[in-house]
């Protein structure tokens, strides 16, 4: 763990280069709660859990390194800001909230299936 004295933000490395911000305005849900929330949506439960594990290691506060095109992926389901920030508008401010991230991901899934995710089953 490193402490950056200039902005007082603590980060630690997560597998596959995912960055987890420690200072957030929402609490991190337990793995059981995350799985329950994922499975409460009308999509294949096991596939949703597989995507969440592959994309963020079930970390609702995951933020990817900057992609080649300058975009970033956020939250449990790693929703891409370049593709979806404008679509979700004001809701985007809550992308790191577990429930909102799952709801946004479900909306994307309803439109395109798993196609938008790198870790599509």
């Amino acid at each position: 763990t490193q402490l950056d004295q200039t902005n007082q933000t603590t980060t630690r490395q997560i597998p596959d280069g995912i960055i987890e911000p420690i200072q957030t305005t929402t609490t991190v849900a337990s793995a059981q709660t995350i799985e329950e929330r994922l499975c409460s949506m009308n999509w294949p439960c096991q596939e949703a859990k597989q995507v969440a594990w592959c994309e963020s290691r079930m970390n609702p506060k995951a933020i990817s390194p900057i992609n080649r095109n300058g975009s970033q992926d956020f939250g449990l389901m790693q929703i891409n800001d370049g593709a979806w920030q404008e679509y979700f508008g004001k809701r985007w401010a809550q992308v790191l909230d577990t429930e909102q991230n799952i709801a946004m991901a479900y909306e994307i899934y309803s439109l395109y299936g798993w196609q938008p995710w790198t870790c599509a089953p």
Side-chain angles (χ1 to χ4, degrees):
T1 305
Q2 293 180 314
L3 179 62
D4 179 348
Q5 296 295 332
T6 58
N7 65 12
Q8 297 297 307
T9 301
T10 305
T11 59
R12 61 187 168 100
Q13 284 299 99
I14 304 296
D16 300 325
I18 295 170
I19 299 172
E20 175 189 16
I22 302 301
Q23 297 176 338
T24 62
T25 57
T26 57
T27 59
V28 176
S30 71
Q32 181 180 12
T33 302
I34 290 169
E35 288 184 18
E36 288 171 0
R37 290 176 199 271
L38 284 168
C39 292
S40 72
M41 307 307 274
N42 192 24
W43 54 17
C45 173
Q46 291 303 320
E47 290 180 7
K49 291 192 295 186
Q50 177 186 356
V51 170
W53 174 255
C54 179
E55 292 284 349
S56 72
R57 299 301 186 253
M58 293 291 229
N59 177 359
K61 303 302 177 195
I63 301 174
S64 74
I66 296 174
N67 298 314
R68 287 184 211 155
N69 66 1
S71 68
Q72 279 187 288
D73 307 315
F74 292 85
L76 178 72
M77 299 300 285
Q78 290 292 277
I79 301 172
N80 183 271
D81 63 353
W84 296 102
Q85 186 171 6
E86 186 175 328
Y87 176 86
F88 288 114
K90 291 181 180 181
R91 287 174 58 199
W92 187 259
Q94 298 177 336
V95 72
L96 291 179
D97 176 84
T98 304
E99 288 185 41
Q100 285 297 316
N101 191 271
I102 292 170
M104 290 175 185
Y106 180 73
E107 203 167 324
I108 296 166
Y109 172 83
S110 296
L111 294 169
Y112 300 104
W114 296 118
Q115 184 274 328
W117 282 273
T118 302
C119 293

